[in-house]
Amino acid sequence: YGSVDESTNYYCSWRYHVLSTFNMKDWNIHRDVFSSKGENDQVPYNDKLLFAPDAMVKDGRYYLYYCQPSREQAEGVAVSNSPAGPFEYVQPINTGGYEEIDPGIFIDDDGQAYYLWGQFTLKMAKLMPDMITVDTTTIRDNILTEEEHFFHEGAYMTKRNGTYYLVFADISRATAPTCLGYATSDKPMGPYTYRGVIVDNDNSDPSVWNNHGSIAEFNKQWYVFYHRSTHNSRMMRKPCVEPISFREDGSIPEVEMTSQGAGPPLEATKKIEAERACLLFGNARIQLTSPENEEIGAINHEDRIGYKYIMFDNDIKTVRARVKASEKPSKIVFSHHMPWQNPFVTIDVPAATNANEWIEVEADLAYPISGTYALWVKFYGDSEMELAVDWFVFE
């Protein structure tokens, strides 16, 4: 459950989609399950954007908690008989005058539900059994703070082995909330102790900004769900997932962003879409080539991109790529060593004959490569170089 980003000029949109999976590899999109204007408008009192939601199930009913950029009635709830909606508006939520964003919902083992929300300081309160009404007498502020916990926004709450976990946008690095951090307590309302970073999306995009997400167990494996910035914009983000583990003391080792996510390493001999890159350094960014396709474009001299992880075998002889060339010749260098040492293949890209023409280029490997590696790609050209890559494949 998340917001739907549609523009580089404003956050989010006026609708929600739901993503679902049976195996963590194949995903379905259930579109337009709730809207605040236009078709299926379910918010009768305004037409404002829909920011980050959360959802919870109780007694066979699914509750969608939404929020909007508003000073009045910023948050509300909708219900459905299906986790994939459609959801029907019920009412705004009375948050006792703390009209802020990013609701989170948690039901404890005793059946008590808790409502979380807020920016810079986290608010929390008990919900009545109807899952709609906040018990305003229980509202507490400063459950998490920016000063003590690096809390920015987007709190998510869960429980494991008697320990309460709060996961949130963490501003401890890069002077931006690029991390998902977490804090723990033995009581739902704290006090909470900051425990560190779970995943950091820095270097996912030239304009990287925030990170929202959660942790959850599925089929006996825990995962962190998060997002990366994309399209050189704070306002465009894409959902991602990585497996996580727990130490004996309940702490979570930090995991890295990967291209494979919850799946196995990518196979070098199957076409790899360029936008699967998990690390971007320089001017390069993911952007649209068409409504149904993305590229890595605006690539300048000495820009670098990374893929984690790719499985190679000794039978590979060549690499082939679809590129949009620059006005002058350029090079694409592939390496499985950091920092881009001892490259195993270099593609010479001829100068473009037409400004927007896509061509296929290829080159032989300099030496055999076998095993699973991070793949690092670096680009070389003149000072005015601007290259784009659609895909590549090893053959």
Side-chain angles (χ1 to χ4, degrees), residues 37-112:
K37 77 172 185 178
E39 187 176 356
N40 193 34
D41 183 353
Q42 290 289 322
V43 182
Y45 51 89
N46 70 39
D47 290 329
K48 294 184 181 294
L49 292 161
L50 291 170
F51 282 8
D54 197 12
M56 183 55 67
V57 59
K58 183 180 180 182
D59 299 330
R61 296 280 278 170
Y62 295 86
Y63 297 83
L64 179 71
Y65 300 86
Y66 64 89
C67 66
Q68 298 178 289
S70 175
R71 293 292 183 184
E72 184 178 358
Q73 296 180 334
E75 299 163 63
V77 61
V79 298
S80 176
N81 291 321
S82 165
F87 289 87
E88 296 182 357
Y89 162 80
V90 176
Q91 66 183 51
I93 290 179
N94 177 11
T95 54
Y98 294 99
E99 301 293 349
E100 295 184 10
I101 60 172
D102 296 346
I105 309 300
F106 170 72
I107 299 179
D108 208 345
D109 299 334
D110 61 2
Q112 177 62 60

Side-chain angles (χ1 to χ4, degrees), residues 234-300:
R234 290 185 176 190
M235 286 78 174
M236 293 291 283
R237 293 141 317 167
K238 59 182 180 181
C240 301
V241 59
E242 310 288 350
I244 62 171
S245 61
F246 292 83
R247 300 185 181 97
E248 289 188 6
D249 64 359
S251 62
I252 304 171
E254 183 176 349
V255 297
E256 60 185 359
M257 294 186 291
T258 70
S259 302
Q260 66 196 53
L266 307 181
E267 295 182 42
T269 53
K270 293 183 178 179
K271 186 182 291 183
I272 297 172
E273 300 293 339
E275 66 270 17
R276 292 293 293 268
C278 55
L279 292 166
L280 300 169
F281 299 93
N283 194 61
R285 76 286 305 270
I286 297 166
Q287 57 191 26
L288 286 179
T289 54
S290 72
E292 301 300 326
N293 192 46
E294 291 179 319
E295 66 182 18
I296 291 187
I299 301 170
N300 293 171

Side-chain angles (χ1 to χ4, degrees), residues 272-332:
I272 297 172
E273 300 293 339
E275 66 270 17
R276 292 293 293 268
C278 55
L279 292 166
L280 300 169
F281 299 93
N283 194 61
R285 76 286 305 270
I286 297 166
Q287 57 191 26
L288 286 179
T289 54
S290 72
E292 301 300 326
N293 192 46
E294 291 179 319
E295 66 182 18
I296 291 187
I299 301 170
N300 293 171
H301 173 59
E302 294 193 337
D303 281 359
R304 299 148 293 158
I305 59 179
Y307 298 83
K308 295 183 176 182
Y309 288 88
I310 295 182
M311 183 171 56
F312 298 88
D313 66 66
N314 273 321
D315 293 332
I316 292 170
K317 300 291 192 297
T318 64
V319 63
R320 183 163 53 96
R322 184 173 188 260
V323 303
K324 189 185 295 180
S326 190
E327 292 184 356
K328 295 182 180 179
S330 56
K331 292 181 183 294
I332 307 174

